[in-house]
Amino acid sequence: MDLSNKVAVVTGSGQGLGLAYAKDLARHGAAVVINDVNQATADAAVAEITAAGGRAVAVVAPVGPTETAQKLVAGAVEAFGRLDVMVTNAGILRDKVLWKMTDDDFDAVINVHLRGTFSCVREAVLRFREQGEGGRIIAIGSPAGQRGNFGQTNYSGAKAGIVGMVRTWALELQRAGITANAVCPVAVTAMTETVPLFAPHIEESKRTGVLPEILRRKVGMGTPEDAAGLISFLASDAAADITGQAFSVGGDRLALWSHPELTAVEYSDGGWSADDITAQWAGTFGDAVEPVGEEFPEELMAK
């Protein structure tokens, strides 16, 4: 894998998953723009990459506003002469159940995840089209956006919206040679360590140095580094024909999420009245309803 001719922006890359993505891109030769809201964190990430022989600069700004997107693209062009890859990873959480979630809780998450993805991708596409050599959009989603998650109205809504935007961008940008894909990682981070279902297994891994198979295989959860190879692959020329897809990656598992499909179909001449639906529901639709939330192995639930 040779990315030495690529320049990438990775939002929210001072630590965690974003830093793992940036380090893997740099390890394969790409020049990287690090982004964080904290100067010291961003500088430390740049220092780590450059100490390993990579190329990196920092742009410190909160993702969401168009001005930040412009600074990120300009930072790439000023430092390295071009832009080839936009990875939209920046995010925050404001978890609360629906009836306790405030407007500010909702708006803050939507602004960073959904609007931030939109504004950064729009600015990157303007540059890609000007260069006329294609480009790569890699938007970070989440299983919460695919299946829902308790207490995450804002986050699940934003992540579902990101996948919807990616599907649209794949159509709009295909003629320009620009691909757009979503990646839904599952990794052990400061955010997931507090989830009661995972906590005992993660604590055990801190003692042993190894994540148990139940997480790596059956849940598809690993380290941030386990998810980074997919980012480098999608940034590469090898992925030039892959667009409009939603990937799941974590631990030992790599998978594709399907497009939503019609799972049960029935027809009624003249349309459907409430009585018609009542009569048909159990026989046609009742067994086809979709589950909500993530489904985990029984042995994990019993831990």
Side-chain angles (χ1 to χ4, degrees):
M1 180 66 65
D2 181 10
L3 301 178
S4 58
N5 62 335
K6 307 291 186 185
V7 177
V9 168
V10 184
T11 68
S13 50
Q15 58 188 334
L17 280 162
L19 178 57
Y21 302 154
K23 287 167 62 177
D24 202 71
L25 287 163
R27 184 171 68 85
H28 288 100
V32 181
V33 175
I34 296 292
N35 163 249
D36 199 90
V37 294
N38 183 279
Q39 186 74 58
T41 301
D43 289 345
V46 169
E48 184 176 357
I49 289 171
T50 55
R55 297 173 292 157
V57 296
V59 172
V60 177
V63 166
T66 294
E67 293 76 16
T68 295
Q70 292 170 338
K71 287 179 183 178
L72 290 167
V73 173
V77 175
E78 290 168 7
F80 305 114
R82 60 183 296 110
L83 178 65
D84 303 281
V85 183
M86 174 61 74
V87 183
T88 56
N89 169 77
I92 61 171
L93 290 179
R94 297 289 187 272
D95 290 1
K96 289 179 184 175
V97 291
L98 173 62
W99 55 94
K100 294 183 179 180
M101 185 172 289
T102 67
D103 289 354
D104 287 344
D105 294 329
F106 184 84
D107 291 344
V109 171
I110 295 299
N111 183 60
V112 176
H113 286 275
L114 193 62
R115 191 179 191 280
T117 296
F118 162 73
S119 62
C120 287
V121 169
R122 179 179 59 183
E123 201 64 30
V125 166
L126 289 171
R127 181 65 193 181
F128 293 161
R129 288 171 60 83
E130 181 181 334
Q131 292 173 174
E133 300 173 22
R136 301 283 184 273
I137 301 301
I138 305 169
I140 304 304
S142 169
Q146 303 293 95
R147 302 292 297 271
N149 198 32
F150 189 93
Q152 291 193 321
T153 293
N154 44 12
Y155 181 77
S156 297
K159 291 304 191 182
I162 286 170
V163 174
M165 291 194 301
V166 160
R167 307 284 199 202
T168 297
W169 295 334
L171 297 171
E172 294 179 345
L173 302 174
Q174 191 167 16
R175 289 184 63 182
I178 302 168
T179 66
N181 292 287
V183 172
C184 302
V186 183
V188 175
T189 63
M191 188 166 63
T192 55
E193 281 185 8
T194 60
V195 178
L197 203 59
F198 304 142
H201 300 282
I202 294 173
E203 285 301 314
E204 179 184 341
S205 75
K206 291 179 180 178
R207 295 190 296 270
T208 65
V210 179
L211 282 172
E213 181 178 350
I214 192 171
L215 291 187
R216 291 195 61 86
R217 289 253 170 179
K218 296 187 177 180
V219 176
M221 170 183 278
T223 66
E225 289 71 25
D226 288 323
L230 175 60
I231 304 302
S232 293
F233 166 73
L234 290 173
S236 75
D237 293 340
D241 295 327
I242 302 171
T243 193
Q245 303 306 303
F247 291 82
S248 174
V249 63
D252 299 327
R253 187 176 73 186
L254 174 65
L256 282 171
W257 285 98
S258 69
H259 288 282
E261 297 288 348
L262 301 175
T263 58
V265 179
E266 185 59 82
Y267 298 91
S268 176
D269 292 339
W272 289 88
S273 69
D275 288 338
D276 292 334
I277 297 170
T278 301
Q280 284 285 341
W281 182 260
T284 302
F285 301 102
D287 292 336
V289 295
E290 294 291 324
V292 294
E294 283 288 282
E295 295 181 319
F296 297 111
E298 289 184 9
E299 55 264 47
L300 181 68
M301 305 291 287
K303 179 75 174 181

Coordinates of all heavy atoms in Angstrom, one line a residue, residues 228-291:
A228 N -8.2 1.0 11.4 CA -7.4 2.0 10.6 C -7.1 1.5 9.2 O -7.0 2.3 8.3 CB -6.2 2.4 11.4
G229 N -6.8 0.2 9.1 CA -6.5 -0.3 7.8 C -7.5 -0.1 6.7 O -7.2 0.2 5.6
L230 N -8.8 -0.1 7.1 CA -9.9 0.1 6.2 C -9.8 1.6 5.6 O -10.1 1.8 4.5 CB -11.2 -0.2 6.8 CG -12.5 0.1 6.0 CD1 -12.5 -0.7 4.7 CD2 -13.7 -0.1 6.8
I231 N -9.5 2.5 6.5 CA -9.4 3.9 6.1 C -8.3 4.1 5.0 O -8.5 4.7 4.0 CB -9.1 4.8 7.3 CG1 -10.1 4.6 8.4 CG2 -9.0 6.3 6.8 CD1 -11.6 4.9 8.0
S232 N -7.1 3.5 5.3 CA -6.0 3.5 4.3 C -6.4 2.9 3.0 O -6.1 3.4 1.9 CB -4.8 2.9 4.9 OG -4.3 3.7 6.0
F233 N -7.1 1.7 3.1 CA -7.5 1.0 1.9 C -8.5 1.9 1.0 O -8.3 2.1 -0.2 CB -8.2 -0.3 2.2 CG -9.0 -0.9 1.1 CD1 -8.3 -1.5 0.0 CD2 -10.4 -0.8 1.1 CE1 -9.0 -2.0 -1.1 CE2 -11.1 -1.4 0.0 CZ -10.4 -2.0 -1.1
L234 N -9.5 2.5 1.7 CA -10.4 3.4 1.0 C -9.8 4.6 0.4 O -10.3 5.2 -0.5 CB -11.6 3.7 1.9 CG -12.5 2.6 2.3 CD1 -13.6 3.0 3.3 CD2 -13.3 2.0 1.0
A235 N -8.7 5.1 1.0 CA -8.0 6.2 0.5 C -7.1 5.9 -0.7 O -6.7 6.8 -1.4 CB -7.1 6.8 1.6
S236 N -6.9 4.6 -0.9 CA -5.9 4.2 -1.9 C -6.5 4.1 -3.3 O -7.8 4.1 -3.5 CB -5.3 2.9 -1.5 OG -6.2 1.8 -1.8
D237 N -5.7 3.9 -4.3 CA -6.1 3.7 -5.7 C -6.8 2.3 -5.8 O -7.6 2.2 -6.8 CB -4.9 3.8 -6.6 CG -4.3 5.2 -6.7 OD1 -5.0 6.1 -6.4 OD2 -3.1 5.3 -7.1
A238 N -6.5 1.4 -4.9 CA -7.2 0.1 -5.0 C -8.7 0.2 -4.8 O -9.4 -0.7 -5.2 CB -6.6 -0.8 -3.9
A239 N -9.1 1.3 -4.2 CA -10.6 1.5 -3.9 C -11.2 2.4 -4.8 O -12.3 3.0 -4.5 CB -10.7 1.9 -2.4
A240 N -10.7 2.6 -6.0 CA -11.2 3.7 -6.9 C -12.6 3.4 -7.4 O -13.3 4.3 -7.8 CB -10.2 3.8 -8.1
D241 N -13.0 2.1 -7.4 CA -14.3 1.7 -7.9 C -15.3 1.4 -6.8 O -16.4 1.0 -7.1 CB -14.2 0.5 -8.8 CG -13.4 0.8 -10.1 OD1 -13.4 1.9 -10.6 OD2 -12.7 -0.1 -10.5
I242 N -14.9 1.7 -5.6 CA -15.8 1.4 -4.4 C -16.4 2.7 -3.9 O -15.7 3.6 -3.5 CB -15.1 0.8 -3.3 CG1 -14.4 -0.5 -3.7 CG2 -16.0 0.5 -2.1 CD1 -13.5 -1.1 -2.7
T243 N -17.8 2.9 -4.0 CA -18.4 4.1 -3.6 C -19.8 3.8 -3.2 O -20.5 2.8 -3.6 CB -18.4 5.1 -4.7 OG1 -18.8 6.4 -4.2 CG2 -19.3 4.8 -5.9
G244 N -20.3 4.6 -2.3 CA -21.7 4.5 -1.8 C -21.9 3.4 -0.8 O -23.1 3.0 -0.6
Q245 N -20.9 2.9 -0.2 CA -21.0 1.7 0.7 C -20.9 2.2 2.2 O -20.3 3.2 2.5 CB -19.9 0.7 0.4 CG -19.9 0.2 -1.1 CD -21.2 -0.3 -1.5 OE1 -21.8 -1.2 -0.9 NE2 -21.8 0.3 -2.5
A246 N -21.5 1.4 3.0 CA -21.3 1.5 4.5 C -20.7 0.3 5.0 O -21.2 -0.8 5.0 CB -22.7 1.7 5.1
F247 N -19.5 0.5 5.6 CA -18.7 -0.6 6.1 C -18.8 -0.7 7.6 O -19.0 0.3 8.3 CB -17.2 -0.4 5.8 CG -16.8 -0.5 4.4 CD1 -17.0 0.6 3.5 CD2 -16.2 -1.7 3.9 CE1 -16.6 0.5 2.2 CE2 -15.9 -1.8 2.6 CZ -16.1 -0.7 1.7
S248 N -18.7 -1.9 8.1 CA -18.6 -2.2 9.6 C -17.2 -2.8 9.8 O -16.8 -3.7 9.1 CB -19.6 -3.1 10.1 OG -19.4 -3.4 11.4
V249 N -16.5 -2.2 10.7 CA -15.1 -2.8 11.0 C -14.8 -2.7 12.5 O -15.2 -1.7 13.2 CB -14.0 -2.0 10.2 CG1 -14.0 -0.5 10.6 CG2 -12.7 -2.7 10.3
G250 N -14.2 -3.8 13.0 CA -13.8 -3.8 14.4 C -13.3 -5.2 14.8 O -13.8 -6.2 14.3
G251 N -12.2 -5.2 15.6 CA -11.6 -6.4 15.9 C -11.2 -7.2 14.7 O -10.5 -6.7 13.9
D252 N -11.7 -8.5 14.7 CA -11.3 -9.4 13.5 C -12.3 -9.3 12.4 O -12.2 -10.0 11.4 CB -11.2 -10.8 14.0 CG -10.1 -11.0 15.1 OD1 -9.1 -10.3 15.0 OD2 -10.3 -11.8 16.0
R253 N -13.3 -8.5 12.5 CA -14.5 -8.5 11.6 C -14.5 -7.3 10.7 O -14.3 -6.2 11.1 CB -15.8 -8.5 12.4 CG -17.0 -8.7 11.5 CD -18.3 -8.9 12.3 NE -18.7 -7.6 12.9 CZ -19.7 -7.5 13.8 NH1 -20.3 -8.6 14.1 NH2 -20.0 -6.3 14.2
L254 N -14.6 -7.6 9.4 CA -14.9 -6.5 8.4 C -16.2 -6.9 7.6 O -16.3 -8.1 7.2 CB -13.7 -6.4 7.4 CG -13.9 -5.5 6.2 CD1 -14.0 -4.1 6.7 CD2 -12.7 -5.6 5.2
A255 N -17.1 -6.0 7.5 CA -18.4 -6.3 6.9 C -19.0 -5.1 6.2 O -18.5 -4.0 6.3 CB -19.4 -6.8 8.0
L256 N -20.0 -5.4 5.4 CA -20.7 -4.3 4.7 C -22.2 -4.3 5.2 O -22.8 -5.4 5.4 CB -20.8 -4.6 3.2 CG -19.6 -4.2 2.4 CD1 -19.7 -4.8 0.9 CD2 -19.3 -2.7 2.3
W257 N -22.6 -3.1 5.5 CA -24.1 -3.0 5.8 C -24.8 -3.0 4.5 O -24.4 -2.4 3.5 CB -24.3 -1.6 6.6 CG -23.9 -1.6 8.0 CD1 -22.7 -1.1 8.5 CD2 -24.6 -2.1 9.1 NE1 -22.7 -1.2 9.8 CE2 -23.8 -1.9 10.3 CE3 -25.8 -2.7 9.3 CZ2 -24.2 -2.2 11.6 CZ3 -26.2 -3.1 10.6 CH2 -25.4 -2.8 11.7
S258 N -26.0 -3.5 4.6 CA -26.9 -3.5 3.4 C -27.6 -2.2 3.2 O -27.8 -1.5 4.2 CB -27.9 -4.7 3.4 OG -28.9 -4.4 4.4
H259 N -28.1 -1.9 2.0 CA -29.1 -0.9 1.8 C -30.3 -1.3 2.5 O -30.7 -2.5 2.5 CB -29.4 -0.7 0.4 CG -28.3 0.0 -0.4 ND1 -28.0 1.3 -0.3 CD2 -27.3 -0.5 -1.2 CE1 -27.0 1.6 -1.1 NE2 -26.6 0.5 -1.7
P260 N -31.1 -0.4 3.1 CA -32.5 -0.8 3.5 C -33.3 -1.4 2.4 O -33.3 -0.9 1.3 CB -33.1 0.5 4.0 CG -31.9 1.4 4.3 CD -30.9 1.0 3.3
E261 N -33.9 -2.5 2.7 CA -34.7 -3.2 1.7 C -36.1 -3.5 2.1 O -36.4 -3.6 3.3 CB -34.0 -4.6 1.3 CG -32.6 -4.5 0.8 CD -32.6 -4.0 -0.7 OE1 -33.7 -4.0 -1.3 OE2 -31.5 -3.7 -1.2
L262 N -37.0 -3.6 1.2 CA -38.4 -4.0 1.6 C -38.4 -5.5 2.0 O -37.9 -6.3 1.2 CB -39.3 -3.8 0.4 CG -39.4 -2.3 -0.2 CD1 -40.3 -2.3 -1.4 CD2 -40.0 -1.4 0.9
T263 N -38.9 -5.8 3.2 CA -38.8 -7.1 3.7 C -40.1 -7.9 3.6 O -40.1 -9.1 3.6 CB -38.3 -7.2 5.1 OG1 -39.2 -6.4 5.9 CG2 -36.9 -6.6 5.3
A264 N -41.2 -7.2 3.5 CA -42.5 -7.8 3.4 C -43.4 -6.9 2.5 O -43.5 -5.8 2.8 CB -43.2 -8.1 4.7
V265 N -44.0 -7.5 1.5 CA -44.8 -6.7 0.5 C -46.1 -7.4 0.3 O -46.1 -8.7 0.1 CB -44.0 -6.5 -0.8 CG1 -44.9 -5.7 -1.8 CG2 -42.7 -5.9 -0.6
E266 N -47.2 -6.7 0.3 CA -48.5 -7.2 0.0 C -49.2 -6.1 -0.7 O -48.9 -4.9 -0.6 CB -49.2 -7.6 1.2 CG -50.6 -8.3 1.0 CD -50.4 -9.6 0.1 OE1 -50.1 -10.6 0.7 OE2 -50.7 -9.4 -1.1
Y267 N -50.2 -6.5 -1.6 CA -51.0 -5.5 -2.3 C -52.5 -5.6 -2.0 O -53.0 -6.7 -1.8 CB -50.8 -5.7 -3.8 CG -49.3 -5.4 -4.2 CD1 -48.4 -6.5 -4.3 CD2 -48.9 -4.2 -4.5 CE1 -47.1 -6.3 -4.6 CE2 -47.5 -4.0 -4.9 CZ -46.7 -5.0 -4.9 OH -45.3 -4.8 -5.3
S268 N -53.2 -4.5 -2.0 CA -54.6 -4.4 -1.8 C -55.2 -3.6 -2.9 O -54.8 -2.4 -3.0 CB -54.9 -3.9 -0.4 OG -56.3 -3.8 -0.3
D269 N -56.1 -4.1 -3.7 CA -56.7 -3.4 -4.8 C -57.4 -2.1 -4.2 O -58.2 -2.2 -3.3 CB -57.8 -4.2 -5.5 CG -57.1 -5.3 -6.3 OD1 -55.9 -5.2 -6.6 OD2 -57.8 -6.3 -6.6
G270 N -57.1 -1.0 -4.8 CA -57.8 0.3 -4.3 C -57.1 0.9 -3.1 O -57.5 1.9 -2.6
G271 N -56.0 0.3 -2.6 CA -55.3 0.8 -1.5 C -55.6 0.1 -0.2 O -56.3 -0.8 -0.1
W272 N -55.1 0.7 0.9 CA -55.1 0.0 2.2 C -55.9 0.9 3.2 O -55.6 2.0 3.5 CB -53.7 -0.2 2.8 CG -52.9 -1.2 2.1 CD1 -52.1 -1.0 1.0 CD2 -52.9 -2.6 2.4 NE1 -51.6 -2.2 0.6 CE2 -52.0 -3.2 1.4 CE3 -53.5 -3.4 3.4 CZ2 -51.7 -4.6 1.5 CZ3 -53.2 -4.7 3.4 CH2 -52.3 -5.3 2.5
S273 N -57.0 0.3 3.7 CA -57.7 0.9 4.8 C -57.2 0.4 6.1 O -56.4 -0.6 6.1 CB -59.2 0.6 4.7 OG -59.4 -0.8 5.0
A274 N -57.5 1.0 7.2 CA -57.0 0.6 8.5 C -57.5 -0.9 8.8 O -56.8 -1.7 9.3 CB -57.5 1.5 9.6
D275 N -58.8 -1.2 8.4 CA -59.3 -2.5 8.6 C -58.5 -3.6 7.7 O -58.3 -4.7 8.2 CB -60.8 -2.6 8.2 CG -61.6 -1.9 9.3 OD1 -61.2 -1.7 10.4 OD2 -62.8 -1.5 8.9
D276 N -58.2 -3.2 6.5 CA -57.4 -4.0 5.6 C -56.0 -4.4 6.3 O -55.6 -5.5 6.3 CB -57.1 -3.4 4.3 CG -58.4 -3.2 3.4 OD1 -59.3 -4.0 3.6 OD2 -58.4 -2.3 2.6
I277 N -55.4 -3.4 6.8 CA -54.1 -3.6 7.5 C -54.2 -4.5 8.7 O -53.4 -5.4 8.9 CB -53.5 -2.2 7.8 CG1 -53.2 -1.4 6.6 CG2 -52.1 -2.5 8.6 CD1 -52.8 0.0 6.9
T278 N -55.3 -4.3 9.5 CA -55.5 -5.1 10.6 C -55.6 -6.6 10.2 O -55.1 -7.5 10.9 CB -56.7 -4.6 11.4 OG1 -56.6 -3.3 11.8 CG2 -57.0 -5.5 12.6
A279 N -56.4 -6.8 9.2 CA -56.6 -8.2 8.7 C -55.4 -8.8 8.2 O -55.2 -10.0 8.3 CB -57.7 -8.2 7.7
Q280 N -54.5 -8.1 7.6 CA -53.3 -8.6 6.9 C -52.1 -8.7 7.8 O -51.1 -9.4 7.5 CB -53.0 -7.8 5.6 CG -53.9 -8.1 4.5 CD -53.6 -9.5 3.8 OE1 -52.5 -10.0 4.0 NE2 -54.6 -10.0 3.1
W281 N -52.1 -7.9 8.9 CA -50.9 -7.7 9.6 C -50.2 -8.9 10.1 O -49.0 -9.2 9.8 CB -51.1 -6.7 10.8 CG -49.8 -6.5 11.5 CD1 -49.4 -7.1 12.7 CD2 -48.8 -5.6 11.1 NE1 -48.1 -6.6 13.0 CE2 -47.8 -5.7 12.1 CE3 -48.7 -4.7 10.1 CZ2 -46.6 -4.9 12.0 CZ3 -47.5 -3.9 10.0 CH2 -46.5 -4.1 10.9
A282 N -50.9 -9.7 10.8 CA -50.3 -10.9 11.4 C -49.8 -11.9 10.4 O -48.7 -12.4 10.5 CB -51.3 -11.6 12.4
G283 N -50.6 -12.1 9.3 CA -50.2 -13.1 8.3 C -49.1 -12.7 7.4 O -48.2 -13.5 7.0
T284 N -49.0 -11.4 7.1 CA -48.0 -10.9 6.1 C -46.8 -10.2 6.8 O -45.7 -10.4 6.4 CB -48.7 -10.0 5.1 OG1 -49.8 -10.7 4.5 CG2 -47.7 -9.5 4.1
F285 N -47.1 -9.3 7.7 CA -46.1 -8.4 8.2 C -45.6 -8.7 9.6 O -44.4 -8.3 9.9 CB -46.6 -6.9 8.2 CG -47.1 -6.5 6.8 CD1 -48.4 -6.5 6.5 CD2 -46.1 -6.1 5.8 CE1 -48.8 -6.1 5.2 CE2 -46.5 -5.7 4.6 CZ -47.9 -5.7 4.2
G286 N -46.4 -9.3 10.4 CA -46.0 -9.5 11.8 C -44.6 -10.1 12.0 O -43.9 -9.7 12.9
D287 N -44.3 -11.1 11.2 CA -43.1 -11.9 11.4 C -41.9 -11.2 10.7 O -40.8 -11.7 10.8 CB -43.2 -13.3 10.8 CG -44.2 -14.1 11.7 OD1 -44.3 -13.8 12.9 OD2 -44.7 -15.1 11.1
A288 N -42.2 -10.1 10.0 CA -41.1 -9.4 9.2 C -40.6 -8.1 9.9 O -39.7 -7.5 9.3 CB -41.6 -9.1 7.8
V289 N -41.1 -7.8 11.1 CA -40.7 -6.5 11.7 C -39.2 -6.6 12.1 O -38.7 -7.7 12.4 CB -41.6 -6.2 12.9 CG1 -43.0 -5.9 12.5 CG2 -41.5 -7.3 13.9
E290 N -38.5 -5.5 12.0 CA -37.1 -5.5 12.2 C -36.8 -5.3 13.7 O -37.5 -4.5 14.4 CB -36.5 -4.3 11.4 CG -36.5 -4.5 9.9 CD -35.6 -5.6 9.4 OE1 -34.5 -5.8 10.0 OE2 -36.0 -6.3 8.5
P291 N -35.7 -5.9 14.2 CA -35.3 -5.6 15.6 C -34.7 -4.2 15.6 O -34.2 -3.7 14.6 CB -34.3 -6.7 15.8 CG -33.7 -7.0 14.5 CD -34.9 -6.9 13.5

